[in-house]
Amino acid sequence: MLQLRQPDSARTGMTFHQMLERVRYDGAYPTRERAEVITRAVLEAPGRHLAGDERAGLAACLPDEAATALTSQMPESQPLTGWGFVKDLASRTGVTPAVARWDAGAVLAVIGHFAGPGLLDRILLRLPSGYALLFGRAELVQAA
């Protein structure tokens, strides 16, 4: 049986343009165009570090344009730590690590909202340390 995709607004409650406005506001970017460039750059990176159900689940939560950016890269076998992710983003976008950290946090906090707490918990369990802070959560570590 053919299953029709729901429109972006029905699946997520937010269109891609509304998502960009949220990133623009939260990240204090001067224009929506700047927010879009940053959003696409940030989304491509976790797409290389997530695989399986978490990647598919996150893509299903996002507006189509964001889901395409997330899934446009092939998953890598060895995901980067959160700090490695920030350094990689900085080198790919030509900004300092501090700016890349800000950019990642602005976008990933919005993405975490789309994912919801259950999926975000599963995503963070799959990724190496350092990503929780990028998604706007505390990085809790068990005592040894």
Side-chain angles (χ1 to χ4, degrees):
M1 174 154 98
L2 178 65
Q3 184 173 2
L4 299 175
R5 286 191 63 163
Q6 296 175 333
D8 291 342
S9 58
R11 286 186 296 130
T12 64
M14 193 180 292
T15 67
F16 185 62
H17 291 293
Q18 290 169 326
M19 178 185 151
L20 293 177
E21 281 302 313
R22 174 104 183 252
V23 169
R24 186 191 63 75
Y25 180 80
D26 290 355
Y29 300 111
T31 65
R32 189 180 63 197
E33 291 75 21
R34 180 70 182 138
E36 182 171 357
V37 167
I38 290 161
T39 298
R40 289 183 187 280
V42 171
L43 281 173
E44 288 174 359
R48 292 194 322 261
H49 304 295
L50 277 177
D53 293 341
E54 290 75 22
R55 178 180 167 127
L58 183 56
C61 294
L62 298 173
D64 287 339
E65 296 92 334
T68 299
L70 178 78
T71 58
S72 67
Q73 304 292 315
M74 294 298 297
E76 294 180 359
S77 59
Q78 199 66 2
L80 297 172
T81 64
W83 177 238
F85 170 82
V86 168
K87 290 191 305 185
D88 179 61
L89 181 62
S91 69
R92 286 187 302 105
T93 58
V95 299
T96 66
V99 171
R101 165 57 181 95
W102 179 268
D103 293 343
V107 174
L108 293 178
V110 173
I111 300 306
H113 172 75
F114 278 102
L119 178 57
L120 186 53
D121 287 345
R122 292 194 319 271
I123 289 169
L124 291 173
L125 284 173
R126 293 278 238 152
L127 292 171
S129 68
Y131 281 89
L133 290 174
L134 297 175
F135 279 97
R137 284 196 172 176
E139 182 87 34
L140 301 177
V141 182
Q142 287 185 342

